[in-house]
């Protein structure tokens, strides 16, 4: 058995051992398990029953990690992505007025397009055609959006009439619980405590309970109702297939998925010095996105938290498989997960958003024709409360400024095509 594991995962070639890979997988799990709670609550905002969202998140994470482990043979953890889930719930469902069933159909089509890109030369063509400034600004804009969502969930800021943002009341126990949890969370994070987000959720839940914000006495879903999940699994709706909002959602989601995952997967395989595994890992990623639509959740991404597993010594797919097995075990804690309040989750969203903001250092601030489109993407994603609209404005502005400055040749033909699609979608969306 041991020899088969060594042979299948090429442990000797990667100069690693089973014990180190398994330990790395355990560390990776405790680093990323918070996604079960956070993603489920964000999906619930779209109307998916909370318990069904929890089961969907767990199943998708299990399959994603297994795909990366067995097929890609890399220690990359595939789970529903932060930022992508916000796009799913807040933009596609709430802003574009699609139902969550129709949003899952959007994920289905995006998954097919992603696989076409991943299994052809399009991945390299698309990646090379988009300037670094636009790629990085999408991540920064998503970071600001996540911070805004976290601040709202924690009650620290509130959206009032006409969507005006106002400071919440710090005398509110919910806000106070959020602030205390955030202080603990940021200290744990900065001190690089293992499993800091998991500890944050536990401590934050205890604080909320002490403040009387959690009722743990009643039967608040203390049993698992599989029937709820039966009403979510494979419940895709293509009723809006021939409508403009549906295809705007497909285009926006596909763009974000392709750009984000190309960068993440490439960075991870470079970190373990196995660039030759990029192709299979990226393909595993695309298959996982496609399957997400059937499981009933927003798409998976090659998480940043995968670096925790790699730092711990993970070099092969055995690390990802170990994490996948532990996700299966997490299903037994669903009744406990359902008690976790927003005040325990909000600090995590704020910190993850803040981490994504660091990508702004990769922008070329000296060339305003590069930086201004990026600034618009960064600002308009949270200001419009729409990732799709924020991206569209930046992608439309970029070639216009280049042409105006006589730098039209700096814009690739594929980018002109992509920007034109954004412009057409933008015009149709607001004149429809």
């Amino acid at each position: 058995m041991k020899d088969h594991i060594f042979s299948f995962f090429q442990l000797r070639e990667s100069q690693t051992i089973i014990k180190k890979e398994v330990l790395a997988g355990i560390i990776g799990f405790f680093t990323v398990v918070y996604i079960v709670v956070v993603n489920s609550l964000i999906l619930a905002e779209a109307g998916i029953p909370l318990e069904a969202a929890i089961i969907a998140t767990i199943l998708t994470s299990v399959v994603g990690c297994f795909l990366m482990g067995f097929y890609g043979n890399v220690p990359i953890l595939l789970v529903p992505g932060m930022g992508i889930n916000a796009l799913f719930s807040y933009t596609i469902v709430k802003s574009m007025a699609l139902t969550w069933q129709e949003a899952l159909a959007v994920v289905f089509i995006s998954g097919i397009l992603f696989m076409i890109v991943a299994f052809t030369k399009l991945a390299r063509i698309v990646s090379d055609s988009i300037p670094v400034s636009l790629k990085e600004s999408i991540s920064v804009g998503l970071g600001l959006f996540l911070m805004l969502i976290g601040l709202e969930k924690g009650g620290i800021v509130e959206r009032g009439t006409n969507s005006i943002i106002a400071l919440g009341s710090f005398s509110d126990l919910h806000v106070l619980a959020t602030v205390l949890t955030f202080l603990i969370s940021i200290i744990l994070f900065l001190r690089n405590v293992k499993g800091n987000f998991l500890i944050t959720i536990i401590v934050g839940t205890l604080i909320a309970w002490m403040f009387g914000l959690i009722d743990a006495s009643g039967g608040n879903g203390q049993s698992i109702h599989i029937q709820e999940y039966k009403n979510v699994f494979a419940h895709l709706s293509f009723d809006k297939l021939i409508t403009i909002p549906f295809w705007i959602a497909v285009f926006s989601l596909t763009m974000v998925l392709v750009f984000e995952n190309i960068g993440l997967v490439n960075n991870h395989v470079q970190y373990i010095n196995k660039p030759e595994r990029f192709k299979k890992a990226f393909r595993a990623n695309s298959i996982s996105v496609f399957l997400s639509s059937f499981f009933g959740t927003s798409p998976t991404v090659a998480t940043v938290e995968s670096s925790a597993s790699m730092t711990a010594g993970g070099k092969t797919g055995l690390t990802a498989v170990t994490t996948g097995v532990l996700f299966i075990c997490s299903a037994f804690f669903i009744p406990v997960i359902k008690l976790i309040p927003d005040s325990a989750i909000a600090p995590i969203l704020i910190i993850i958003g803040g981490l994504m903001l660091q990508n702004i250092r990769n922008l070329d601030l000296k060339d305003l024709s590069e930086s201004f489109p990026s600034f618009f993407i960064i600002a308009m994603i949270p200001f419009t409360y729409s990732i799709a609209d924020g991206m569209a404005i930046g992608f439309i502005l970029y070639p216009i400024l280049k042409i105006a400055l006589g730098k039209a040749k700096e814009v690739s033909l594929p980018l002109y095509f992509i920007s034109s699609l954004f412009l057409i979608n933008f015009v149709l969306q607001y004149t429809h």
Side-chain angles (χ1 to χ4, degrees):
M1 179 67 177
K2 187 175 181 180
D3 289 338
H4 285 303
I5 293 175
F6 263 88
S7 174
F8 184 85
F9 291 107
Q10 301 174 357
L11 299 186
R12 289 189 180 88
E13 293 88 331
S14 300
Q15 298 180 329
T16 186
I17 57 176
I18 294 176
K19 182 179 178 180
K20 183 181 287 186
E21 293 293 303
V22 171
L23 180 60
I26 294 172
I27 291 173
F29 171 75
F30 283 108
T31 304
V32 80
V33 68
Y34 72 88
I35 199 67
V36 175
V37 181
V38 181
N39 188 65
S40 303
L41 290 172
I42 290 178
L43 291 179
E45 297 273 347
I48 297 177
L50 178 59
E51 192 161 283
I54 293 171
I55 296 172
T57 301
I58 291 172
L59 286 177
T60 306
S61 300
V62 170
V63 173
C65 288
F66 281 0
L67 275 170
M68 272 297 185
F70 290 119
Y71 180 70
N73 194 22
V74 287
I76 297 176
L77 311 181
L78 273 184
V79 303
M82 297 301 300
I84 302 292
N85 50 17
L87 173 59
F88 180 93
S89 293
Y90 299 105
T91 298
I92 296 177
V93 174
K94 290 194 171 183
S95 295
M96 295 184 172
L98 271 64
T99 65
W100 62 261
Q101 294 92 337
E102 291 160 354
L104 290 177
V106 169
V107 176
F108 175 85
I109 301 294
S110 293
I112 292 176
L113 295 176
F114 193 176
M115 285 193 292
I116 291 173
V117 171
F119 282 85
T120 65
K121 295 180 180 179
L122 282 174
R124 182 56 55 194
I125 294 173
V126 171
S127 179
D128 292 344
S129 68
I130 308 299
V132 173
S133 59
L134 293 184
K135 292 178 186 176
E136 298 293 355
S137 61
I138 293 172
S139 295
V140 177
L142 286 173
L144 278 177
F145 195 37
L146 282 179
M147 289 189 78
L148 176 59
I149 292 170
L151 291 168
E152 286 185 348
K153 277 187 170 295
I156 296 173
V157 299
E158 300 173 347
R159 278 196 301 160
T161 56
N162 299 320
S163 297
I164 295 175
I165 303 295
L167 198 62
S169 172
F170 281 78
S171 62
D172 188 304
L173 287 178
H174 174 66
V175 176
L176 185 57
T178 301
V179 172
L180 290 175
T181 305
F182 172 77
L183 290 174
I184 293 169
S185 180
I186 193 67
I187 291 171
L188 291 173
F189 179 79
L190 293 177
R191 293 185 66 86
N192 200 28
V193 176
K194 299 295 183 184
N196 52 80
F197 285 159
L198 181 61
I199 296 171
T200 295
I201 290 172
I202 295 171
V203 174
T205 302
L206 288 173
I207 290 173
W209 174 73
M210 288 189 293
F211 284 3
L213 301 175
I214 297 176
D215 180 13
S217 59
N220 187 20
Q222 298 301 312
S223 60
I224 299 174
H225 303 288
I226 300 299
Q227 185 60 42
E228 269 194 0
Y229 184 60
K230 288 181 180 178
N231 296 327
V232 171
F233 180 78
H235 272 60
L236 294 74
S237 172
F238 292 92
D239 290 346
K240 298 283 182 67
L241 182 64
I242 57 174
T243 65
I244 292 171
F246 183 91
W247 287 101
I248 291 173
V250 167
F251 180 69
S252 302
L253 181 60
T254 304
M255 292 281 283
V256 174
L257 283 170
V258 171
F259 296 153
E260 183 172 356
N261 284 298
I262 282 178
L264 286 168
V265 174
N266 183 66
N267 289 341
H268 289 325
V269 295
Q270 292 290 344
Y271 185 85
I272 60 172
N273 199 28
K274 293 290 181 182
E276 69 277 5
R277 294 182 184 175
F278 171 82
K279 185 180 291 184
K280 276 196 170 184
F282 193 57
R283 289 175 177 177
N285 195 339
S286 69
I287 296 170
S288 178
V289 167
F290 173 72
L291 294 176
S292 298
S293 63
F294 292 99
F295 287 123
T297 179
S298 52
T300 53
V301 301
T303 61
V304 175
E305 289 84 0
S306 300
S307 58
S309 295
M310 298 174 191
T311 304
K315 295 181 179 179
T316 73
L318 182 56
T319 293
V321 170
T322 301
T323 301
V325 171
L326 291 174
F327 266 116
I328 295 175
C329 299
S330 69
F332 296 102
F333 298 96
I334 289 178
V336 177
I337 291 172
K338 291 171 65 179
L339 293 173
I340 297 170
D342 283 349
S343 61
I345 301 303
I348 296 175
L349 295 176
I350 295 168
I351 292 173
I352 293 175
L355 290 174
M356 295 173 74
L357 291 181
Q358 295 180 97
N359 285 11
I360 199 168
R361 65 177 179 265
N362 299 325
L363 298 182
D364 182 2
L365 301 180
K366 295 179 181 178
D367 185 348
L368 295 181
S369 67
E370 292 283 336
S371 58
F372 259 103
S374 300
F375 293 155
F376 269 91
I377 290 176
I378 293 168
M380 296 306 287
I381 285 178
F383 287 170
T384 62
Y385 221 74
S386 171
I387 296 166
D389 288 351
M391 285 177 58
I393 292 169
F395 271 77
I396 293 167
L397 184 60
Y398 187 88
I400 292 174
L401 294 185
K402 289 293 184 181
I403 293 171
L405 294 175
K407 298 179 179 180
K409 291 183 179 180
E410 293 184 12
V411 183
S412 64
L413 286 176
L415 182 56
Y416 276 119
F417 178 70
I418 293 170
S419 299
S420 298
L421 289 177
F422 264 124
L423 178 60
I424 293 169
N425 284 335
F426 197 73
V427 171
L428 291 175
Q429 180 180 356
Y430 287 98
T431 58
H432 181 62

